[in-house]
Amino acid sequence: MSISATAGTAPAHVPPDLVRSFSFYDDPAILADPMRALSGLHDGPRIFWNTINPRHGGSWVLTRAEDIRYVTAHPELFSNKGQFRMAAVIGESWDMIPGELDPPDLHNFRKLVGAWLGPPAVAAMSDQIRERAVSLITGLIDNGGCEFMNAFALRFPVSIFVDLMGLPQDHAPMFLQWEHGIIHAPNMNERAAAISGVADYLRAVLAERRRKPADDLFSRAILAEVNGVKLSDDQILGICFMLFTGGLDTVASSMGFQFHYLAEHPEVQARLRTEPALASRFVEELLRANSVVVIHRVATCDTEVSGVAIRTGDWIAIPTALGSIDPEDSQGSTGVDMDRRAVRHMAFGVGPHFCLGMHLARRELTIAVEEWVGRAPVFRTDETRPVKYKGGGVFVVDTLPIRWD
Amino acid sequence: MIVKVDAARCQGHGRCAVEAARVYTLDAEGHCAVNGRTIPPELEEEARIGVEVCPERAIALEP
């Protein structure tokens, strides 16, 4: 079975004028400039049926911030169950936690996992995060340039994930390979092999920690209780798998868009060098202009969105970028404005499932900007080698060659 | 000017308290905790920033 995007037919209840075939995976416009391609969808209907959705067959696509807020705020109508299609691909049935839970479990598990990823926990990790960034950057400075994604953007978050989980740093390359397999495998067998690889690894560590507790996240999960009940192996696996997939390609890709912008705007690098406190504002504005994740919901009953009939079992794809840059809702444009008076976006989602890892993600992204402009020479895109993008459930910068000025 | 927070909409992103810290504070679970607070004139502009950054549009200001 291939993952490449082929068009199906729309179900009978979809009005013909709302049917489109737009591949978020490999439409030429997506591969050329994903955010520009997405913003073009604002010229069409506010909700449409996309015959191309490799993960769920066809699906609805929401294009407006208002509809995105409505759907995500009603988990009783639009469920998260099964949205990531990880366990199902390898013939298993555990949920990603809390990303595939619905209320009331959702609230209890978010409280648990949220405490591990909240501002105090992230503040405690901050020095180590900075050390990881500095050590990667100093290793690159003498090279005159680098392919930013492989040299830094992918390696940095995976090193933080490995630290967060209390695993040895020399296992980081293995996670990178699995991550690549889950996101970019050319066929379903290879994707399944990568998912199994991660699941088997995490289960083995969990079994080891059950025998011999350590001071790490697995051991905290083993001791934790939700509603007075200890967590099962499948639940702990679901949490750890969620942490793995939640924090790697999303952070790496956001960083890719941010550094692509910096490489094309040396004057912004200069400004950040003299005003380092602006790094977090820069990150926020770039998250707004480049929200990379597509989330999914499935209708639990026959209902409607903006007057359009939705049937039980219909999947709904929500490119968060369309909410972040919606010109009807906010300061919405794909253009970057560092001096925007207020930055509102949906890069971390909205509603009761918004990203629990957002504090950690912001910390990693801000530290990356601070340390690069503080330590590296002025850098630019390398005109001799093109910047490449890939689409999918996350829009990613695939190749970003930069050289020092 | 009075802050109105729609508790059903507020999910705890915490953006208001970061971008407009003199107006907005969060409760133990990270939700906006200043529903009903009266804003002095010198903080009205900052209060508006908090409204504008909220991804859930959970905050409104009333005269």
Side-chain angles (χ1 to χ4, degrees):
Chain A
M1 183 165 45
S2 167
I3 296 186
S4 66
T6 47
T9 48
H13 64 280
V14 177
D17 60 327
L18 295 185
V19 178
R20 298 281 187 283
S21 295
F22 180 78
S23 173
F24 289 119
Y25 282 71
D26 53 13
D27 189 280
I30 287 284
L31 298 180
D33 183 343
M35 294 304 145
R36 181 182 292 260
L38 288 169
S39 73
L41 296 176
H42 281 141
D43 299 331
R46 62 184 297 138
I47 170 169
F48 67 90
W49 181 270
N50 192 359
T51 61
I52 304 176
N53 183 323
R55 203 187 292 176
H56 299 297
S59 70
W60 294 102
V61 177
L62 305 184
T63 69
R64 294 294 175 186
E66 193 188 335
D67 293 342
I68 294 173
R69 278 194 201 94
Y70 168 73
V71 166
T72 55
H74 290 90
E76 74 286 4
L77 303 177
F78 308 100
S79 165
N80 273 48
K81 193 91 179 162
Q83 70 155 329
F84 299 113
R85 294 225 15 112
M86 292 290 173
V89 168
I90 57 171
E92 298 181 7
S93 61
W94 40 271
D95 295 317
M96 297 262 273
I97 296 177
E100 291 184 321
L101 298 183
D102 291 321
D105 286 347
L106 170 66
H107 180 69
N108 300 325
F109 276 92
R110 275 182 73 93
K111 220 168 154 178
L112 174 71
V113 179
W116 301 336
L117 297 172
V122 171
M125 295 173 66
S126 214
D127 287 348
Q128 195 173 12
I129 296 173
R130 195 173 295 278
E131 272 173 41
R132 297 280 178 222
V134 170
S135 121
L136 281 170
I137 295 165
T138 36
L140 294 168
I141 283 185
D142 291 340
N143 301 351
C146 65
E147 194 287 287
F148 181 77
M149 298 311 294
N150 278 303
F152 186 83
L154 288 160
R155 292 173 64 186
F156 175 44
V158 87
S159 73
I160 307 305
F161 168 77
V162 164
D163 283 340
L164 176 72
M165 303 303 287
L167 301 170
Q169 276 296 323
D170 58 3
H171 289 187
M174 213 157 55
F175 279 103
L176 267 180
Q177 229 172 344
W178 283 324
E179 179 193 359
H180 187 83
I182 291 173
I183 300 163
H184 299 305
N187 59 59
M188 220 29 126
N189 288 339
E190 281 182 44
R191 179 156 192 260
I195 294 170
S196 292
V198 178
D200 292 348
Y201 177 99
L202 294 173
R203 279 202 184 96
V205 177
L206 176 57
E208 175 64 28
R209 296 293 189 274
R210 283 207 189 273
R211 277 192 296 274
K212 199 175 147 203
D215 178 22
D216 65 5
L217 204 143
F218 288 95
S219 309
R220 265 177 271 163
I222 289 168
L223 293 175
E225 289 182 1
V226 169
N227 293 333
V229 180
K230 289 264 198 294
L231 308 191
S232 69
D233 279 5
D234 271 359
Q235 286 173 322
I236 297 176
L237 172 66
I239 290 171
C240 296
F241 211 108
M242 183 84 225
L243 292 171
F244 171 64
T245 53
L248 300 186
D249 56 318
T250 51
V251 176
S253 182
S254 299
M255 208 178 283
F257 281 99
Q258 294 174 9
F259 276 72
H260 185 203
Y261 183 86
L262 285 177
E264 293 193 328
H265 294 86
E267 77 284 1
V268 175
Q269 293 179 45
R271 188 170 169 197
L272 288 165
R273 202 165 283 120
T274 52
E275 301 174 76
L278 287 180
S280 60
R281 166 171 284 266
F282 169 81
V283 164
E284 213 60 36
E285 169 64 356
L286 270 285
L287 283 167
R288 187 197 64 76
N290 303 279
S291 302
V292 297
V293 179
V294 182
I295 54 180
H296 287 88
R297 298 289 186 270
V298 61
T300 60
C301 57
D302 290 356
T303 180
E304 59 177 58
V305 175
S306 278
V308 174
I310 310 284
R311 287 279 168 84
T312 310
D314 282 0
W315 281 93
I316 301 174
I318 305 173
T320 54
L322 288 168
S324 292
I325 60 175
D326 181 356
E328 283 182 4
D329 185 69
S330 58
Q331 312 87 347
S333 77
T334 49
V336 171
D337 177 3
M338 284 269 290
D339 299 307
R340 197 180 287 280
R341 78 179 225 127
V343 180
R344 176 172 67 232
H345 63 74
M346 296 186 176
F348 295 112
V350 278
H353 275 279
F354 81 84
C355 176
L356 274 182
M358 68 175 187
H359 303 291
L360 181 57
R362 284 192 167 103
R363 202 75 217 111
E364 291 177 40
L365 293 166
T366 304
I367 285 175
V369 170
E370 288 168 352
E371 295 303 329
W372 269 89
V373 300
R375 286 169 193 277
V378 175
F379 54 90
R380 292 176 187 270
T381 44
D382 184 342
E383 308 81 16
T384 62
R385 298 155 68 207
V387 177
K388 287 186 191 159
Y389 300 103
K390 276 187 181 169
V394 176
F395 300 102
V396 304
V397 180
D398 188 51
T399 315
L400 175 58
I402 57 173
R403 59 173 177 76
W404 317 155
D405 211 2
Chain B
M1 181 185 275
I2 294 168
V3 178
K4 290 285 177 190
V5 181
D6 184 337
R9 282 182 166 235
C10 174
Q11 300 289 346
H13 294 256
R15 295 291 300 145
C16 55
V18 170
E19 298 294 332
R22 289 183 298 175
V23 174
Y24 300 96
T25 53
L26 306 178
D27 67 18
E29 290 196 6
H31 293 97
C32 187
V34 297
N35 185 36
R37 184 178 171 188
T38 303
I39 306 301
E42 68 274 17
L43 290 181
E44 287 184 359
E45 195 52 21
E46 196 165 328
R48 286 189 196 98
I49 299 272
V51 171
E52 289 168 36
V53 298
C54 177
E56 309 286 353
R57 311 212 73 165
I59 308 172
L61 300 170
E62 290 179 359

